[in-house]
Amino acid sequence: GENVEQHPSTLSVQEGDSAVIKCTYSDSASNYFPWYKQELGKGPQLIIDIRSNVGEKKDQRIAVTLNKTAKHFSLHITETQPEDSAVYFCPGGATNKLIFGTGTLLAVQP
Amino acid sequence: ETGVTQSPTHLIKTRGQQVTLRCSSQSGHNTVSWYQQALGQGPQFIFQYYREEENGRGNFPPRFSGLQFPNYSSELNVNALELDDSALYLCASSPFGGALETEAFFGQGTRLTVV
């Protein structure tokens, strides 16, 4: 949705642990929820997305869950690895005008 | 690799100067968007081009302008550079103009420093 709040702003986990990042949106009409990962020195890259007709989507160690009633969606990373360290964004808006917040800085400690 | 390429990768300019940044979109993509990312912040939408026409603009002054060419590559021009223009400038392409639910493919960005 247009306005999206993301928590936490920073997250530090031990390698092998799970990480969860949550985003809350306000627009009930929203039906597309992407997650982007930005590694240091690189542009953001889509890692997973979900549409409103689906409650959960998985891709190997990454999953996204959507709770339309509560208007929030979450990114779940299991068995975290050092290469998961990056900034994660759940932008609102649409593909032609993504609205990014400050993201979540995930640090995976070896 | 996303296939979106930007040039140059780094650039240093003096306050008051003008700069042109370039972006080649991924093959088959006709829509290009530009974003400004200050240190520690998320990318901020500048504007988008679809089939050589501006198709939406964010809250940026007119000294930020752009072009899209018939091959869908794009330029971002910034006149009268200010110190606050120092940022990472990102270009993103997508395959369908006006489509709201498709992946945006980002380039690696151009790091602009204004001194």
Side-chain angles (χ1 to χ4, degrees), chain B residues 59-115:
Chain B
N59 188 26
F60 280 82
R63 58 190 186 84
F64 286 78
S65 63
L67 282 174
Q68 186 177 33
F69 300 99
N71 66 355
Y72 303 131
S73 66
S74 179
E75 287 183 353
L76 164 65
N77 299 290
V78 187
N79 294 322
L81 284 167
E82 301 177 359
L83 296 179
D84 285 349
D85 295 332
S86 295
L88 180 69
Y89 288 84
L90 294 160
C91 167
S93 74
S94 54
F96 304 114
L100 302 181
E101 300 177 1
T102 61
E103 178 177 356
F105 293 79
F106 284 84
Q108 303 246 80
T110 293
R111 172 69 64 185
L112 172 65
T113 302
V114 182
V115 297

Side-chain angles (χ1 to χ4, degrees), chain A residues 8-38:
Chain A
S9 56
T10 60
L11 181 59
S12 181
V13 299
Q14 290 296 125
E15 183 177 356
D17 287 350
S18 296
V20 181
I21 304 170
K22 180 178 175 179
C23 285
T24 304
Y25 61 96
S26 58
D27 185 358
S28 300
S30 300
N31 53 21
Y32 177 64
F33 307 92
W35 282 97
Y36 282 80
K37 172 185 180 183
Q38 186 174 25

Side-chain angles (χ1 to χ4, degrees), chain B:
Chain B
E1 285 302 308
T2 63
V4 178
T5 58
Q6 293 186 241
S7 63
T9 54
H10 296 84
L11 198 55
I12 300 175
K13 287 287 190 177
T14 302
R15 189 172 50 182
Q17 286 188 315
Q18 179 266 342
V19 69
T20 297
L21 310 182
R22 295 178 175 83
C23 171
S24 293
S25 60
Q26 184 157 322
S27 177
H29 290 186
N30 58 13
T31 303
V32 172
S33 301
W34 285 91
Y35 292 81
Q36 180 195 67
Q37 186 174 23
L39 204 60
Q41 302 296 314
Q44 300 299 303
F45 175 74
I46 302 175
F47 44 57
Q48 182 190 67
Y49 279 83
Y50 169 57
R51 293 186 175 179
E52 302 178 58
E53 297 284 333
E54 187 177 293
N55 183 41
R57 187 179 183 92
N59 188 26
F60 280 82
R63 58 190 186 84
F64 286 78
S65 63
L67 282 174
Q68 186 177 33
F69 300 99
N71 66 355
Y72 303 131
S73 66
S74 179
E75 287 183 353
L76 164 65
N77 299 290
V78 187
N79 294 322
L81 284 167
E82 301 177 359
L83 296 179
D84 285 349
D85 295 332
S86 295
L88 180 69
Y89 288 84
L90 294 160
C91 167
S93 74
S94 54
F96 304 114
L100 302 181
E101 300 177 1
T102 61
E103 178 177 356
F105 293 79
F106 284 84
Q108 303 246 80
T110 293
R111 172 69 64 185
L112 172 65
T113 302
V114 182
V115 297

Side-chain angles (χ1 to χ4, degrees), chain A residues 77-105:
Chain A
I77 306 175
T78 58
E79 301 173 25
T80 52
Q81 300 170 4
E83 53 263 38
D84 295 328
S85 295
V87 180
Y88 292 82
F89 296 99
C90 56
T95 300
N96 61 346
K97 182 186 175 182
L98 292 171
I99 302 173
F100 288 85
T102 53
T104 295
L105 175 61

